[in-house]
Amino acid sequence: MKNKLEDLKKQILDELAKAKSGELLRELEIKYLGRKGELSNILRGVKDLGAEERQEIGALANAIKTEVTAKFEEIKKETESKETATGFVDVTLPGKKIVRGHLNPISIIQAELEDLFISLGFMVADGPELESDYYNFEALNIPKSHPARDMQDTFYIDKKNAEGEYDLLLRTHTSPVQVRAMQKYGAPLKAVVPGRCFRSEATDARHEHTLYQFEGFMIDKDINFSHLKGVLELVGKKLFGEETKLRMRPKFYPFVEPGTNGEFTCLLCKGKGCRLCKNSGWLEVIGAGLIHPEVLRAGGIDPEIYSGFAFGFGLSRLAQLKYGIDDARLAMSGDLRFLQQF
Ligand code: DAH
């Protein structure tokens, strides 16, 4: 009986060593360890043996069962990990689609414009969104009592300065970076400034309290209106296509003299007149002009030696025009159904 058990153990271990697949292992497990398996049969017969033999054979059979079971588990684990590592790949199954992100339409236009201006030798500058009253208004020739302040209401920070005034606000435009850049880099200077701005607006389809602007300026000796016109024409062509024309008409901004707007032929009707351009054939997108001597002075630049042009426009509005977006609030809504279209 003892020999029979030892032989059986050897036989099981030999066969186990040869078993390579999970399927074969399962067959062997049933054959030896299953309820009707050979080892179980012997264990079941132990109770019919004489007392002395029963103890000895019982202990041996149990020990063998434990050992063999452990071996089974070990080999099972090995073959399992091998099978998954070199696992079967069904190349006919449909693949898993990798979802790519989308750029916000405002970012797309911003990048296009940055490319254009970098190719013209402009630097891309940056400025704080939390701005002082001085840079946002005063340095741009908009004193406290000036009615132009009404056009750009904003959010003030609830903290007074030493003079007891509310001095910190969320910038209403990117123009304050003109003076900051002049102070930092001096003249000559060529820079564009994309950035986030804020207005205290009751939001609706045409107004949003958070918007993006794009500012540009160039300061050097003998800069004049023709330089401004040339650059704005390039902007129009880049944004709306080669055939785009520019029209400039006088407009007041406190920080330029003279001031002008910039209108492009309507991108929808190409100037014929349609609903988008209110039948005029033109879309007004830009504010611009020659930098006011007071603003140059605030930036530490002598207006007797240098002159410059500046322009600014809403990237958010441009994106709306270019992509036919009918609600200003969509761009910042974080709605993926919106973003996935670009
Ligand atoms: N800052 C003006 C605005 O937010 C836009 C603007 C107009 C910028 C004229 C300029 C400029 O640089 O010269 O409405």
Side-chain angles (χ1 to χ4, degrees):
M1 190 70 180
K2 217 167 138 188
N3 285 347
K4 205 174 145 198
L5 268 171
E6 293 290 359
D7 285 348
L8 183 62
K9 174 181 156 186
K10 195 169 167 298
Q11 187 187 339
I12 297 175
L13 292 181
D14 280 352
E15 283 190 37
L16 257 179
K18 281 184 229 140
K20 289 273 173 332
S21 74
E23 207 174 329
L24 215 63
L25 263 177
R26 271 187 295 283
E27 271 172 29
L28 285 179
E29 205 171 5
I30 294 167
K31 182 170 167 199
Y32 294 113
L33 296 176
R35 228 160 29 89
K36 289 185 186 148
E38 289 184 29
L39 200 57
S40 311
N41 276 343
I42 292 178
L43 277 166
R44 227 173 289 138
V46 167
K47 65 176 187 321
D48 304 325
L49 296 171
E52 207 173 300
E53 225 186 351
R54 186 160 61 206
Q55 205 174 27
E56 191 188 355
I57 299 294
L60 181 64
N62 269 322
I64 289 176
K65 188 176 179 186
T66 315
E67 187 184 338
V68 167
T69 309
K71 195 75 190 167
F72 259 108
E73 290 305 319
E74 183 187 316
I75 294 186
K76 221 193 276 178
K77 266 202 200 109
E78 264 171 36
T79 54
E80 261 170 21
S81 67
K82 260 189 227 145
E83 276 176 8
T84 44
T86 58
F88 169 69
V89 177
D90 184 353
V91 292
T92 63
L93 282 173
K96 275 188 198 149
K97 196 175 172 200
I98 298 169
V99 188
R100 285 180 67 191
H102 295 254
L103 285 177
N104 190 292
I106 296 174
S107 309
I108 297 173
I109 295 191
Q110 179 180 328
E112 277 175 12
L113 287 168
E114 280 179 14
D115 281 352
L116 169 68
F117 279 97
I118 288 168
S119 77
L120 295 173
F122 283 59
M123 66 189 279
V124 179
D126 212 352
E129 291 171 2
L130 182 60
E131 191 47 286
S132 67
D133 184 281
Y134 175 75
Y135 282 108
N136 195 78
F137 293 124
E138 212 106 347
L140 293 173
N141 208 22
I142 316 174
K144 287 231 153 48
S145 56
H146 200 286
R149 287 218 174 186
D150 285 354
M151 290 163 26
Q152 301 192 357
D153 190 16
T154 185
F155 303 100
Y156 286 81
I157 301 305
D158 191 10
K159 200 173 171 194
K160 290 184 178 159
N161 66 7
E163 281 86 52
E165 291 160 336
Y166 292 107
D167 189 44
L168 283 178
L169 48 86
L170 294 182
R171 68 174 178 192
T172 56
H173 49 180
T174 39
S175 304
V177 187
Q178 286 185 32
V179 177
R180 285 184 175 277
M182 287 179 214
Q183 290 175 345
K184 190 163 177 187
Y185 303 106
L189 179 61
K190 287 192 283 185
V192 287
V193 186
R196 187 158 56 165
C197 306
F198 309 85
R199 302 273 169 103
S200 174
E201 301 269 11
T203 54
D204 59 33
R206 284 164 44 103
H207 300 92
E208 180 49 303
H209 50 67
T210 302
L211 54 137
Y212 283 78
Q213 284 196 346
F214 194 91
E215 188 90 9
F217 43 93
M218 176 171 182
I219 301 164
D220 208 332
K221 288 175 180 152
D222 300 323
I223 291 294
N224 61 49
F225 228 73
S226 63
H227 299 115
L228 171 62
K229 189 166 181 239
V231 167
L232 293 188
E233 266 171 2
L234 276 180
V235 170
K237 289 187 170 140
K238 177 84 175 178
L239 289 172
F240 298 153
E242 273 304 311
E243 67 291 352
T244 308
K245 289 197 182 63
L246 170 76
R247 177 168 89 172
M248 294 165 95
R249 295 196 290 176
K251 183 154 184 183
F252 171 73
Y253 295 99
F255 30 93
V256 279
E257 181 57 41
T260 176
N261 74 2
E263 299 172 28
F264 294 128
T265 34
C266 176
L267 76 157
L268 256 195
C269 64
K270 308 287 175 207
K272 288 190 203 74
C274 68
R275 203 172 58 97
L276 185 65
C277 59
K278 299 198 184 77
N279 275 321
S280 70
W282 297 93
L283 292 171
E284 182 178 351
V285 269
I286 296 178
L290 294 184
I291 302 175
H292 197 289
E294 282 303 319
V295 177
L296 287 173
R297 250 181 232 119
I301 291 173
D302 185 349
E304 300 297 329
I305 303 173
Y306 288 101
S307 55
F309 68 74
F311 63 87
F313 50 82
L315 275 180
S316 309
R317 193 172 118 76
L318 261 183
Q320 269 190 274
L321 286 172
K322 184 162 179 182
Y323 294 107
I325 301 163
D326 57 8
D327 193 322
R329 294 165 294 190
L330 282 169
M332 294 294 112
S333 66
D335 189 333
L336 290 181
R337 291 170 306 175
F338 171 72
L339 293 176
Q340 276 158 0
Q341 298 174 58
F342 302 97

